[in-house]
Amino acid sequence: MAGAHGNVLVHVLDDERSAAAALAAILVEAVEAGASIGLSGGSTPIAAYERVAALEGDWGDATVWLVDERCVPPDDPHSNERLVREAVLERVIVPPVFQGVWTPGLDPAAMADRYDALLRAEGVPELVVLGVGGDGHTASLFPSSPSLDASDRLAVATKAGMDPRIDRVTMTLAAIARADRVVFLATGAGKAEPVRRAFKEPPSPATPSSLARSAAGTTTVLLDRAAATLL
Ligand code: 6PG
């Protein structure tokens, strides 16, 4: 199983807004340091991304990657590129270098090969932002998926998920492990059970969030009280 299990620091914030503010503070510092940053999709981090764009307009020295993507064009409602464009790239004065996954004319496997090669050439992001799905998934690494075993890859194509009709490309556990800092954001009562499995129980492929850790750096978990009730 790819991925090491380094130190995990859990922070429980008062509410969803404070948890988003805590992520925003980490991101502002990273943007100002000109870091490379991997952003996840989902609904939870959007407020934090928008806050960072409002607080820091100059992202010119930073590079933004997508932790995962659905293989749909950027105008599709399911596209994480669209989410990041709307929450960050279209709001800031000086945009970062943006490394998206979607490439017209390539099938999902070829998009994954291209992203894998790009990550090898440029290095994985120093900071990786992750969410926790209701089933314990993170990125597009779903419970007991073969993608969890892709230890020789930094990005893979995957079909698993709540909507298997949509192909996806995801960074692997091996890529996430190379990040200096991994930061999870999870809020709301619906996340209490997967958060318990991810951060209190022994690591298991049944809960991919329990396997996604920085190997040599830090893994920080930002929760609101509701998501932390079972810890
Ligand atoms: C995505 C993600 C995914 C997400 C979780 C949590 O693109 O959907 O990268 O792993 O982080 O599903 O999503 P919510 O924030 O919507 O609960």
Side-chain angles (χ1 to χ4, degrees):
M1 191 68 53
H5 310 291
N7 263 352
V8 179
L9 309 166
V10 179
H11 298 282
V12 181
L13 288 306
D14 278 347
D15 52 25
E16 194 176 336
R17 196 181 154 88
S18 315
L23 175 59
I26 291 168
L27 284 168
V28 166
E29 204 175 300
V31 169
E32 289 174 352
S36 58
I37 304 166
L39 296 180
S40 283
S43 53
T44 314
I46 295 176
Y49 298 166
E50 291 178 351
R51 190 179 171 111
V52 185
L55 290 171
E56 177 53 81
D58 183 357
W59 289 52
D61 292 332
T63 304
V64 169
W65 296 78
L66 296 178
V67 169
D68 64 328
E69 179 63 292
R70 290 145 184 94
C71 297
V72 293
D75 58 353
D76 188 288
H78 296 102
S79 164
N80 280 347
E81 176 169 338
R82 185 187 62 84
L83 183 155
V84 167
R85 286 196 181 283
E86 289 179 0
V88 175
L89 305 184
E90 289 167 8
R91 291 173 186 245
V92 298
I93 299 157
V94 187
V97 173
F98 176 67
Q99 303 284 21
V101 174
W102 168 257
T103 315
L106 295 188
D107 65 18
M111 278 191 228
D113 286 348
R114 179 191 153 274
Y115 219 51
D116 182 77
L118 201 54
L119 285 161
R120 278 176 207 284
E122 305 287 324
V124 305
E126 295 155 287
L127 170 64
V128 166
V129 176
L130 297 174
V132 178
D135 60 357
H137 78 261
T138 193
S140 286
L141 298 163
F142 290 91
S144 305
S145 160
S147 59
L148 298 176
D149 294 317
S151 53
D152 56 343
R153 299 274 304 197
L154 299 179
V156 289
T158 180
K159 253 194 171 298
M162 287 157 292
D163 187 350
R165 292 168 301 177
I166 301 182
D167 289 291
R168 297 172 179 238
V169 170
T170 185
M171 288 190 192
T172 59
L173 292 172
I176 293 165
R178 288 192 196 186
D180 296 335
R181 188 168 192 191
V182 172
V183 181
F184 282 91
L185 175 69
T187 59
K191 297 294 170 72
E193 174 56 21
V195 160
R196 183 187 69 78
R197 287 193 277 128
F199 305 112
K200 198 175 179 194
E201 298 293 311
S204 160
T207 308
S209 299
S210 71
L211 303 171
R213 303 286 186 262
S214 167
T218 57
T219 299
T220 303
V221 185
L222 304 174
L223 305 172
D224 66 353
R225 282 198 196 137
T229 45
L230 300 178
L231 289 185

